[in-house]
Amino acid sequence: APPLESYHSKMEVKTSLLDNMIGVGDMVLLEPLSEDSFLENLQKRFDHNEIYTYIGSVVISMNPYRSLPIFTPDKVEEYLYRLSTSAYRSLRDQDKDQCILITGESGAGKTEASKLVMSYVAAVCGKGQEVNKVKEQLLQSNPVLEGEYSGSGKYMDIEFDFKGDPLGGVISNYLLEKSRVVKQPRGERNFHVFYQLLSGASDDTLRKLKLDRDFSKYNYLSLDSAAVNGLDDAANFRTVRNAMQIVGFMEDEVQSVLELVAAVLKLGNIEFKPESRCNGTDESRIKDKNDLKEMCELLGIEQSVLERAFSYRTVEAKMEKVSTTLNVAQAYYARDALAKNLYSRLFSWLVTRINESIKAQTKTRHKVMGVLDIYGFEIFEDNSFEQFIINYCNEKLQQIFIELTLREEQEEYVREGIEWTNIEYFNNAIICDLIENNQNGILAMLDEECLRPGTVTDETFLDKLNTVCAEHQHFESRLSKNSKFLTDHSLPHNCFRIQHYAGKVLYRVEGFVDKNNDLLYRDLSQAMYKANHSLIKQLFPEGNPAKVNLKRPPTAGFQFRASVGTLMKNLQTKNPNYIRCIKPNDKKASHIFTDSLVRHQVRYLGLMENVRVRRAGYAFRQAYEPCLERYKMLCKRTWPHWRGPAREGVEVLMTDLQVPAEEFSYGRSKIFIRNPRTLFFLEERRRQCLEDLATLIQKIYRGWKCRTQFLLLKKSQVTVAAWYRRYAEQNWRRTQNADAFVSPVYFRQARKLLRELKYQKRCEEAVTTIAAFWHGTQVRREYRKFFRANAGKKIYDFTIQRIIQKYFLNLKSTMPSMSPIDKNWPTRPYLFLDGVHTDLRRIFHLWRCKKYRSQFTEEKKAVYEEKLEASEIFKDKKALYPSSVSQPFKGDYLEISKNPKYQKLNSAVDEKVLLADVVNKINRANGKGTARIFLLTKKSVVLADQKTGQVKASVPLPDLSSVSVSTQTDGFFALRLKEGSASAVKGDFLLSSEHLIEIITKLHRVGATTADMEQLNVDISDEFLVQFKQDKVCVKFIQGVPKNGNSVSCKRKNNRLLEVSVPTTP
């Protein structure tokens, strides 16, 4: 993309959301307005890479999860830059402090939007060495904090002088989600800096920090989301290091920060084991002290001091000290509390350090533009204290959002002289009061419960809520006095539910008290203070033994409520600008729009409510000058130029178009249009008019082009004709001058010579004709005595007869053998005997075939019929067929009627045995074969045990539906049984035989000759399905080198696949 500096020069180009609009660019104009149409419009624009949509001045931003070519000079007035330009100009020209509020849930693109806003504002303001340094520091403060925070809110005040040049800034952070350090939600990872450090730091740096690149070696790192598509942790680490240098961090400060990050990772690997004491109590002990040792070396702490802090807790009350042992659960709590405090205090120190670098140096009054990048409303399967205070903040932001939007609307109406009518909307002040009321609000009761003496648990806190908030219309609990929730099984006993503006949210009270207390044992604070690490001492000042403060620190809820209150007061003093970020899918993939997820975000962002507020009065407003410029072609009096004030031109235009008076109103500088249908009516008329104007322009241009081309052709034709006439005249004159010098005598001599030549030619032709006739007469007279009547015909017949006689004699002596496969035949001697020669060859072949067949016995004839049928079935279809041609079909390979071993089996079979052979029945479980006797009669197929002769299965031939074989040289075949038949209970049979061709051929012939049976289908394919009881298994044949040499092998790949490996044919 081109540099942002070039965008500022493009800002005077006037564009409109209505030009080339995909869907509706401003939701205020959406018609009809419903939640479904709202989502449909968002998806339509998203599918066409239009990720930004307006609601009046509010921008809706859909995260595309990819780079789009939309931030170009041609698009500069649209989307985020238009909003940023408006805010910057209001601040610079009208001396109004501004605030850009960017909200949305994690992954919705808030950070990217804030970077674009800050980059643009930095690009359009002034130049100069000092100004550029301030701008660079402001921009680079983002990468430093991006790696450190996630799931928190960040607010930056950018301070400008009277010229609009940046002087510095101040950053505030709200609710760092420090519980993420020790435990991450499913599908999310820990703070980015951990992964960036392990991926991007040099080997020497990692060795100094006593770290390993393998993520799996650290208990605090979530492995399922360690790698994120499109996120290069190593490159981001280099960016963070460079940004810290630009902001002004010293090298030793950077090293200290990295050491603390490494210490947090090491802290997570410390594990505890129970150890019983003599008094019967359990005491915790560290399992492996290697990580503890390395952490203490990084921070300069005595290992024994920190080890004791993990095993004992000292409680001070007035002048008394009581030391108690920690069990394993308490030790783990102490470890995680230390990790969370260490990380959160490091982050707070970073914010303070950056503020020192980027703060304004002058003390004069500054203009301020605030950029708020804050978390969105959260509704998870398991919602705890963090989600409760995040949603409380969103309730406050929604409240101020509606109030400021209404105030902005009312101010514009008053400014333009339009009558203001009150707008009804849902006021969520009652929900905010339920949470923050100082007397009986939920946060106040939580603080009261945390501070009171006695046993305090999450259950006692819930009991207090059930007592105080039972009658509140937005509070629900199973154990409250309100009986209507007693049978609500969707509401567990250890939970309460609040009806927020975005919907109902169920909160589990488990952990509320501990997270609100946010206690760090004093022993750990004092151990940290004893470290020789300079930064650690700054982070834990309460660990100083000389300044022991027995006063309980403020709770997390109290601190957050105070921060939110300060933020709201700050926002009330500024002109708001809103960017609402939406995450289109949970997979963080491009081109995917999940309707249910987007619908949920649209609800909790209150976008429909915002549209209704904007549409309650006039849906669209526009200044008179651009309105007249856009629609002036719709009226003859205003087209092409209007001489007079723009307002009068718009009045003439609306009167000429006969727009009803109740559909619009005239303000002091703008026209207000009530209904989107009126605007679309104007746009449709403008589109038609533009088409007519385009046609007119095309007609005039084409006429001018054709006239120009015609005149050019005409001029060229005149020039060519003049030159040609000159040439023709000159040529004619030269010819005339030459002819004038030719003598008439020459013409007379030439004509005489021509006559003589013609006469000589006629004489020669006459002499030739006379001589020919004379010679013919002489010859006929000389030879007449030698000729008799019809002599020519007789000579011809005699000659032909002699030639045919000679042909037959030669044919007799060169006759080929009587073998039907002998393809030799004498060559044809004469061309006219071609047809006879071909017919004789065919007749001879038929005769010798008949003689050959007459020698067959009935038994041999049946064998050849089987061979012929085998050829029809398998020739050119199965690679095994050529090797079977020379092998005679024996049928009974076991001599079952003669062999006494099979006497019992022979007696069990009533019909005549057509084929008896040993086959292998393939086992589905392992692909191995079991020997079976295969008998084929005219009515059934019988499988019997080879050793005992006991019948294992008998299948009537009508129950067979088809036979499946492969195209290769193997002997595998599957007998497929008809569904629903009695034989199909145990499933199909997968067999292997050395006489596959004979078995399939005989089965096919028996099916063709049996009256009550359909002809058996033979399927030849390298992949077919076999039904084994209830499951279908795919049998797949591949060419390869089996382990057991040149034989075919069968192997089970999984429950649904048997793979047969067939040797490759040379």
Side-chain angles (χ1 to χ4, degrees):
L4 283 170
E5 283 81 354
S6 64
Y7 294 156
H8 190 50
S9 61
K10 297 282 184 177
M11 296 308 293
E12 299 304 322
V13 178
K14 298 298 181 185
T15 59
S16 172
L17 281 172
L18 301 171
D19 290 326
N20 303 320
M21 185 169 62
I22 296 172
V24 179
D26 191 336
M27 289 294 189
V28 177
L29 304 178
L30 187 62
E31 192 70 26
L33 176 63
S34 67
E35 192 175 76
D36 290 335
S37 63
F38 191 99
L39 289 168
E40 184 180 348
N41 186 56
L42 280 180
Q43 182 170 6
K44 183 176 182 181
R45 291 177 63 79
F46 179 77
D47 291 341
H48 290 81
N49 296 331
E50 294 289 344
I51 62 172
Y52 297 109
T53 309
Y54 282 107
I55 301 176
S57 60
V58 177
V59 176
I60 303 174
S61 170
M62 300 282 291
N63 193 344
Y65 292 116
R66 60 193 177 103
S67 298
L68 294 177
I70 59 176
F71 303 110
T72 61
D74 297 334
K75 297 256 184 177
V76 70
E77 273 217 2
E78 298 184 24
Y79 317 131
L80 302 185
Y81 292 158
R82 178 180 294 182
L83 179 142
S84 304
T85 301
S86 174
Y88 178 72
R89 287 184 174 177
S90 296
L91 177 138
R92 185 190 63 187
D93 302 335
Q94 301 175 19
D95 199 20
K96 291 183 178 179
D97 287 351
Q98 303 291 318
C99 180
I100 299 176
L101 285 81
I102 306 172
T103 58
E105 64 181 60
S106 177
K110 303 187 297 300
T111 303
E112 190 65 27
S114 66
K115 285 196 291 187
L116 289 171
V117 169
M118 292 182 63
S119 299
Y120 177 73
V121 172
V124 298
C125 58
K127 305 292 185 294
Q129 183 176 357
E130 189 63 30
V131 172
N132 288 339
K133 178 183 177 183
V134 172
K135 290 194 295 186
E136 189 65 19
Q137 286 185 337
L138 289 173
L139 291 176
Q140 294 302 327
S141 65
N142 256 334
V144 176
L145 296 180
E146 273 179 34
E148 303 287 342
Y149 81 92
S150 174
S152 69
K154 179 170 68 71
Y155 178 76
M156 172 182 279
D157 267 336
I158 308 174
E159 300 174 338
F160 298 84
D161 63 10
F162 69 96
K163 301 189 301 295
D165 295 338
L167 299 174
V170 178
I171 300 174
S172 305
N173 68 293
Y174 300 95
L175 185 65
L176 179 75
E177 192 184 350
K178 56 187 178 183
S179 60
R180 183 183 291 265
V181 174
V182 299
K183 183 179 180 182
Q184 300 85 45
R186 191 189 329 172
E188 297 190 23
R189 66 180 196 166
N190 210 321
F191 293 100
H192 299 314
V193 69
F194 296 120
Y195 306 94
Q196 292 173 359
L197 174 61
L198 296 180
S199 300
S202 65
D203 293 337
D204 183 56
T205 302
L206 290 180
R207 187 167 55 254
K208 290 179 180 178
L209 297 176
K210 307 182 187 304
L211 294 176
D212 193 287
R213 290 196 191 278
D214 189 359
F215 296 158
S216 63
K217 292 187 177 181
Y218 302 101
N219 296 335
Y220 279 164
L221 298 187
S222 173
L223 297 181
D224 57 344
S225 302
V228 179
N229 292 335
L231 196 62
D232 188 344
D233 287 320
N236 289 340
F237 180 75
R238 293 189 290 271
T239 302
V240 170
R241 288 293 302 266
N242 182 58
M244 293 179 79
Q245 184 178 358
I246 293 174
V247 171
F249 282 80
M250 306 299 291
E251 190 59 35
D252 60 330
E253 291 178 320
V254 175
Q255 184 63 26
S256 295
V257 170
L258 296 182
E259 287 172 352
L260 262 64
V261 173
V264 173
L265 288 175
K266 290 290 182 183
L267 196 56
N269 287 352
I270 297 175
E271 296 183 346
F272 302 94
K273 61 182 179 180
E275 185 175 291
S276 298
R277 301 184 67 187
C278 57
N279 59 1
T281 60
D282 285 340
E283 181 180 345
S284 66
R285 284 285 181 267
I286 296 176
K287 288 183 181 179
D288 184 359
K289 299 182 181 181
N290 184 53
D291 287 299
L292 178 66
K293 175 185 175 184
E294 292 180 346
M295 175 190 167
C296 291
E297 290 174 357
L298 280 174
L299 302 183
I301 304 175
E302 289 186 21
Q303 181 176 340
S304 59
V305 173
L306 190 56
E307 185 176 355
R308 175 176 173 77
F310 281 134
S311 300
Y312 295 91
R313 178 189 179 188
T314 302
V315 180
E316 296 185 29
K318 295 183 180 180
M319 302 301 293
E320 296 181 4
K321 289 186 179 181
V322 178
S323 181
T324 59
T325 60
L326 299 179
N327 57 31
V328 171
Q330 291 170 332
Y332 276 115
Y333 173 83
R335 181 201 68 175
D336 291 344
L338 178 59
K340 292 187 289 185
N341 274 273
L342 188 59
Y343 190 85
S344 65
R345 295 184 189 202
L346 172 62
F347 182 69
S348 299
W349 178 87
L350 276 173
V351 172
T352 304
R353 179 65 182 81
I354 292 172
N355 284 338
E356 290 176 2
S357 296
I358 67 175
K359 68 181 179 180
Q361 301 301 321
T362 61
K363 301 297 183 181
T364 58
R365 181 186 178 278
H366 308 141
K367 301 176 182 179
V368 177
M369 176 184 288
V371 179
L372 176 64
D373 170 4
I374 201 162
Y375 32 69
F377 202 87
E378 292 186 351
I379 304 178
F380 299 146
E381 291 182 6
D382 188 7
N383 301 288
S384 187
F385 179 73
E386 292 85 0
Q387 285 69 47
F388 176 73
I389 56 177
I390 285 173
N391 294 343
Y392 159 59
C393 182
N394 275 272
E395 286 285 356
K396 296 292 290 182
L397 286 173
Q398 175 69 7
Q399 184 182 24
I400 195 172
F401 173 56
I402 295 297
E403 289 177 359
L404 293 178
T405 301
L406 284 173
R407 187 177 71 186
E408 183 184 1
E409 284 284 288
Q410 186 173 7
E411 287 176 354
E412 184 172 19
Y413 276 50
V414 172
R415 187 169 59 248
E416 293 293 329
I418 303 295
E419 183 181 356
W420 171 259
T421 55
N422 288 326
I423 298 173
E424 292 186 3
Y425 67 96
F426 171 67
N427 189 342
N428 66 336
I430 186 173
I431 304 175
C432 296
D433 184 70
L434 169 65
I435 298 173
E436 68 181 3
N437 188 283
N438 289 328
Q439 300 298 323
N440 52 10
I442 294 177
L443 284 176
M445 286 187 285
L446 180 58
D447 286 350
E448 182 182 329
E449 193 68 12
C450 290
L451 298 175
R452 76 174 176 83
T455 302
V456 177
T457 63
D458 296 316
E459 288 73 20
T460 61
F461 165 61
L462 182 58
D463 292 339
K464 196 176 192 71
L465 290 183
N466 292 332
T467 303
V468 178
C469 304
E471 301 302 325
H472 198 286
Q473 59 185 11
H474 291 274
F475 178 85
E476 300 174 6
S477 174
R478 188 82 173 270
L479 301 176
S480 67
K481 297 177 181 179
N482 197 332
S483 59
K484 68 178 181 179
F485 302 120
L486 292 176
T487 58
D488 187 353
H489 296 289
S490 66
L491 188 59
H493 289 83
N494 62 338
C495 298
F496 65 92
R497 189 159 53 202
I498 294 180
Q499 174 68 57
H500 289 280
Y501 76 90
K504 292 184 177 182
V505 183
L506 185 70
Y507 297 103
R508 190 178 301 277
V509 296
E510 182 180 349
F512 261 63
V513 173
D514 286 341
K515 292 174 181 177
N516 189 51
N517 273 326
D518 196 20
L519 286 178
L520 178 67
Y521 297 153
R522 183 174 289 109
D523 301 74
L524 289 172
S525 299
Q526 293 175 350
M528 291 293 106
Y529 188 79
K530 292 177 182 177
N532 293 327
H533 199 281
S534 58
L535 185 53
I536 287 287
K537 284 185 177 295
Q538 297 178 43
L539 299 185
F540 293 90
E542 75 277 12
N544 187 351
K547 298 180 181 179
V548 175
N549 185 5
L550 299 181
K551 184 178 179 181
R552 192 183 186 98
T555 62
F558 177 85
Q559 296 178 56
F560 186 73
R561 182 172 55 173
S563 298
V564 170
T566 304
L567 176 64
M568 295 303 119
K569 290 179 182 178
N570 197 349
L571 296 180
Q572 289 282 5
T573 62
K574 293 180 173 61
N575 186 50
N577 303 272
Y578 296 97
I579 301 173
R580 302 298 210 179
C581 298
I582 291 179
K583 180 168 65 174
N585 61 77
D586 278 326
K587 299 179 181 178
K588 297 185 179 179
S590 58
H591 304 293
I592 298 178
F593 186 96
T594 305
D595 186 274
S596 58
L597 179 64
V598 177
R599 186 184 300 270
H600 167 69
Q601 294 172 83
V602 166
R603 287 175 180 171
Y604 78 63
L605 287 172
L607 299 184
M608 291 295 295
E609 188 74 17
N610 185 224
V611 176
R612 293 189 183 97
V613 169
R614 286 300 304 263
R615 286 180 57 148
Y618 293 91
F620 182 78
R621 72 264 346 234
Q622 191 174 29
Y624 289 122
E625 288 80 4
C627 180
L628 181 62
E629 185 68 24
R630 186 171 184 82
Y631 301 114
K632 63 182 181 181
M633 72 283 294
L634 303 183
C635 176
K636 294 181 179 179
R637 295 173 60 187
T638 57
W639 177 258
H641 300 292
W642 170 256
R643 310 294 181 184
R647 172 169 178 167
E648 294 179 7
V650 173
E651 290 176 354
V652 170
L653 179 65
M654 301 301 281
T655 303
D656 188 73
L657 292 174
Q658 298 180 353
V659 179
E662 64 272 9
E663 286 296 318
F664 63 91
S665 291
Y666 296 112
R668 293 189 177 91
S669 63
K670 297 179 181 179
I671 181 172
F672 287 71
I673 296 177
R674 187 180 301 277
N675 201 304
R677 287 193 298 269
T678 304
L679 181 65
F680 293 143
F681 162 73
L682 294 176
E683 283 297 310
E684 180 62 23
R685 290 289 302 273
R686 178 177 181 270
R687 186 188 63 79
Q688 295 172 359
C689 192
L690 285 177
E691 289 179 358
D692 296 340
L693 288 174
T695 304
L696 178 63
I697 293 171
Q698 288 176 347
K699 181 181 73 172
I700 295 173
Y701 170 74
R702 288 171 180 165
W704 169 82
K705 187 175 180 181
C706 289
R707 282 194 299 274
T708 304
Q709 184 72 9
F710 170 74
L711 292 174
L712 181 62
L713 289 174
K714 183 178 180 182
K715 181 179 178 182
S716 302
Q717 185 268 336
V718 170
T719 303
V720 171
W723 280 90
Y724 176 76
R725 283 195 296 270
R726 177 188 176 190
Y727 163 77
E729 183 69 21
Q730 291 175 347
N731 193 44
W732 182 79
R733 288 186 182 278
R734 281 196 299 269
T735 305
Q736 291 296 321
N737 293 336
D739 291 345
F741 294 101
V742 178
S743 174
V745 178
Y746 173 77
F747 286 107
R748 286 195 296 273
Q749 291 177 349
R751 284 194 293 272
K752 182 180 178 181
L753 181 60
L754 180 62
R755 284 195 299 271
E756 290 176 355
L757 291 174
K758 288 182 179 180
Y759 177 74
Q760 184 180 354
K761 183 179 180 181
R762 285 198 299 272
C763 290
E764 290 175 354
E765 291 176 350
V767 169
T768 302
T769 303
I770 293 170
F773 274 93
W774 170 250
H775 286 303
T777 302
Q778 290 293 99
V779 170
R780 283 192 295 275
R781 185 181 299 162
E782 180 69 23
Y783 286 95
R784 183 175 292 128
K785 57 186 177 183
F786 297 107
F787 287 94
R788 292 181 298 180
N790 301 322
K793 184 176 183 303
K794 291 182 180 180
I795 292 172
Y796 173 80
D797 291 339
F798 175 79
T799 303
I800 293 300
Q801 185 178 3
R802 183 74 183 97
I803 288 173
I804 293 174
Q805 183 181 16
K806 185 178 178 181
Y807 166 71
F808 279 108
L809 290 173
N810 287 337
L811 189 65
K812 179 181 177 183
S813 61
T814 58
M815 190 70 67
S817 67
M818 293 296 289
S819 173
I821 63 175
D822 188 355
K823 296 184 179 180
N824 293 323
W825 188 251
T827 58
R828 168 181 51 78
Y830 301 103
L831 184 62
F832 76 94
L833 291 174
D834 184 61
V836 174
H837 192 73
T838 302
D839 289 339
L840 283 174
R841 181 178 184 178
R842 179 180 59 81
I843 293 169
F844 175 76
H845 181 69
L846 293 174
W847 174 74
R848 70 182 176 183
C849 287
K850 181 179 179 183
K851 295 287 288 180
Y852 187 83
R853 288 195 303 271
S854 64
Q855 302 172 11
F856 290 173
T857 63
E858 289 299 320
E859 182 179 352
K860 193 173 183 180
K861 186 183 295 185
V863 170
Y864 275 95
E865 286 176 353
E866 287 182 349
K867 285 286 186 179
L868 180 61
E869 189 161 349
S871 173
E872 293 174 353
I873 297 173
F874 295 106
K875 186 177 181 182
D876 297 330
K877 298 178 183 178
K878 185 163 179 67
L880 182 65
Y881 171 72
S883 63
S884 71
V885 173
S886 60
Q887 298 176 359
F889 287 176
K890 186 176 179 181
D892 188 0
Y893 291 90
L894 304 179
E895 296 183 348
I896 194 168
S897 58
K898 301 178 182 178
N899 195 332
K901 180 180 179 180
Y902 302 118
Q903 182 176 1
K904 181 179 178 181
L905 180 61
N906 187 33
S907 61
V909 180
D910 298 332
E911 301 85 21
K912 178 183 177 182
V913 175
L914 302 178
L915 184 144
D917 192 11
V918 175
V919 300
N920 284 323
K921 181 178 179 294
I922 305 303
N923 189 347
R924 170 200 176 180
N926 51 22
K928 295 183 179 179
T930 304
R932 290 285 187 267
I933 297 174
F934 181 94
L935 301 180
L936 173 64
T937 68
K938 289 186 178 181
K939 292 185 180 181
S940 63
V941 171
V942 178
L943 289 175
D945 188 87
Q946 185 186 14
K947 295 180 179 180
T948 62
Q950 181 181 359
V951 175
K952 293 292 185 179
S954 178
V955 180
L957 291 180
D959 287 353
L960 290 178
S961 63
S962 64
V963 180
S964 296
V965 298
S966 74
T967 62
Q968 303 185 36
T969 58
D970 61 282
F972 281 69
F973 65 100
L975 297 179
R976 308 285 296 278
L977 304 180
K978 292 180 181 178
E979 294 184 2
S981 64
S983 304
V985 175
K986 293 185 177 180
D988 302 336
F989 295 93
L990 181 59
L991 309 172
S992 174
S993 172
E994 295 180 355
H995 304 100
L996 167 72
I997 303 297
E998 182 178 356
I999 291 174
I1000 303 302
T1001 303
K1002 287 185 180 292
L1003 272 172
H1004 191 268
R1005 283 180 61 82
V1006 171
T1009 57
T1010 304
D1012 60 344
M1013 176 182 171
E1014 297 177 0
Q1015 189 164 359
L1016 191 66
N1017 293 326
V1018 180
D1019 300 324
I1020 302 177
S1021 172
D1022 283 341
E1023 189 171 341
F1024 51 79
L1025 294 175
V1026 178
Q1027 181 76 37
F1028 284 104
K1029 292 187 179 180
Q1030 300 300 323
D1031 299 324
K1032 287 189 177 181
V1033 176
C1034 177
V1035 183
K1036 185 176 181 180
F1037 294 81
I1038 60 171
Q1039 287 192 344
V1041 181
K1043 296 181 179 178
N1044 54 354
N1046 295 326
S1047 63
V1048 179
S1049 66
C1050 181
K1051 184 189 293 184
R1052 172 178 177 241
K1053 287 292 183 181
N1054 54 52
N1055 289 338
R1056 302 291 183 180
L1057 178 63
L1058 283 176
E1059 192 175 89
V1060 181
S1061 181
V1062 184
T1064 306
T1065 54

